[in-house]
Amino acid sequence: MAYDTSEGRLGEEFFTPGSASFTEFLAAHRPGQLPTRSPLPDGVRAAPGTAPHGTTVLALTYRDGVLIAGDRRATMGNLIAQRDLEKVHPADDHTAVAFAGTVGLALDMAKLYQVELTHFEKIEGAPMSLSAKATRLSAMLRQNLGQAMQGLAVVPLLAGYEAGRGRIFGFDVAGGTYEKTGFHAEGSGSPYARGALKKLYRPGLSRREAALAALQALWDAADDDSATGGPDIGRRIFPIVSVITEDGFERLPEPETEELSRTMVEQRNVRPDGPNATV
């Protein structure tokens, strides 16, 4: 950003009337600093397997709010690029975003989204509604459409707490927004995770029951999708599980996540295909 060092003042763009969107501010004055700018020339597509790719993320509503979780693996083609990637991030006090897709772009987009929500609240004096937050994230994805068409796609999952309940929003690479009921998953392992949640989910789950259902779903995803990693007991790397309730965003402490993961693994030792659905 421009800063007049001779007079110790901010540039004129900081005093020009505009919208409350920090992303639009960057687009107008410093477009090169947007993570959605394309690093590739027009017509050039990224070769498969040349950028780390992250999956799988999921969310489900439960008795006190909404839970959002993700595995830790990033792959680059047939290689494991990272074993402890963090795919779930708080966006503000009552909202979290998780990303599947190109890791570098996803992490930059998550940071920009955090600033976007903070900037809006400071300018307007009130936080956005959850639906408005989903719309803002959708607009950022549309800005990234060119890169997505070049093979550098990012697909987010948004979860938040508002008006006494948890809500979940899914997106496509073109910025389409879809509110989901109960649960949803994104990433290459998402078909298997959604299948598991369809079997295990029910309204009114406790926090522990919801966390175990999420871990079971991630296990099923890892069982059939090589890009998804399960709990790594030896390295003590476990999925990230976070909840959003009336009290705000909370990432489950590592000891709690470890205990839940070990409980789930013990259950799988007894029933390798996972628990039966409640009928």
Side-chain angles (χ1 to χ4, degrees):
M1 290 298 156
Y3 185 84
D4 189 338
T5 55
S6 62
E7 299 182 15
R9 296 191 306 109
L10 294 172
E12 290 300 321
E13 60 265 37
F14 286 92
F15 304 96
T16 303
S19 76
S21 170
F22 184 74
T23 303
E24 292 179 10
F25 177 76
L26 277 183
H29 300 288
R30 292 295 184 274
Q33 295 187 15
L34 286 170
T36 51
R37 70 191 186 282
S38 178
L40 302 174
D42 291 342
V44 175
R45 183 176 175 83
T50 56
H53 188 86
T55 57
T56 299
V57 294
L58 60 84
L60 64 152
T61 58
Y62 73 107
R63 184 175 59 206
D64 300 322
V66 61
L67 178 146
I68 185 166
D71 81 305
R72 308 293 296 275
R73 179 175 292 178
T75 56
M76 195 161 57
N78 64 325
L79 302 176
I80 297 176
Q82 187 174 348
R83 300 179 188 276
D84 60 351
L85 178 65
E86 298 201 7
K87 304 174 187 177
V88 179
H89 303 270
D92 63 14
D93 289 344
H94 289 88
T95 316
V97 63
F99 284 96
T102 307
V103 171
L105 292 177
L107 293 176
D108 282 349
M109 197 177 292
K111 293 175 184 176
L112 178 60
Y113 187 58
Q114 291 167 340
V115 176
E116 176 81 359
L117 299 188
T118 301
H119 182 266
F120 178 92
E121 187 169 350
K122 287 183 176 180
I123 295 296
E124 298 295 332
M128 289 186 201
S129 69
L130 195 52
S131 295
K133 292 173 187 177
T135 300
R136 285 297 174 92
L137 187 53
S138 172
M140 293 173 64
L141 286 172
R142 283 195 295 273
Q143 291 179 341
N144 193 58
L145 182 58
Q147 293 195 83
M149 296 299 101
Q150 291 177 301
L152 301 174
V154 174
V155 181
L157 179 61
L158 183 71
Y161 185 89
E162 183 180 66
R165 66 187 181 99
R167 298 172 67 188
I168 301 167
F169 293 87
F171 303 82
D172 59 38
V173 295
T177 308
Y178 315 94
E179 184 163 5
K180 304 296 181 177
T181 300
F183 59 87
H184 189 59
E186 293 288 0
S188 62
S190 61
Y192 314 109
R194 285 199 297 269
L197 289 174
K198 187 178 292 186
K199 177 178 67 173
L200 298 174
Y201 177 81
R202 68 180 188 278
L205 292 170
S206 68
R207 168 167 146 161
R208 181 177 179 84
E209 290 170 333
L212 283 171
L215 292 172
Q216 292 280 7
L218 289 173
W219 180 284
D220 279 345
D223 198 36
D224 287 295
D225 173 46
S226 62
T228 304
D232 190 332
I233 301 296
R235 295 183 177 88
R236 297 188 66 189
I237 299 173
F238 304 98
I240 292 177
V241 181
S242 298
V243 295
I244 312 164
T245 66
E246 184 179 9
D247 295 328
F249 175 91
E250 178 191 357
R251 175 171 168 172
L252 268 60
E254 191 75 14
E256 183 177 355
T257 307
E258 179 175 353
E259 184 271 325
L260 289 167
S261 297
R262 290 182 182 275
T263 296
M264 186 268 298
V265 171
E266 291 172 1
Q267 293 173 351
R268 287 284 177 152
N269 287 335
V270 178
R271 296 188 62 90
D273 292 331
N276 288 331
T278 302
V279 294

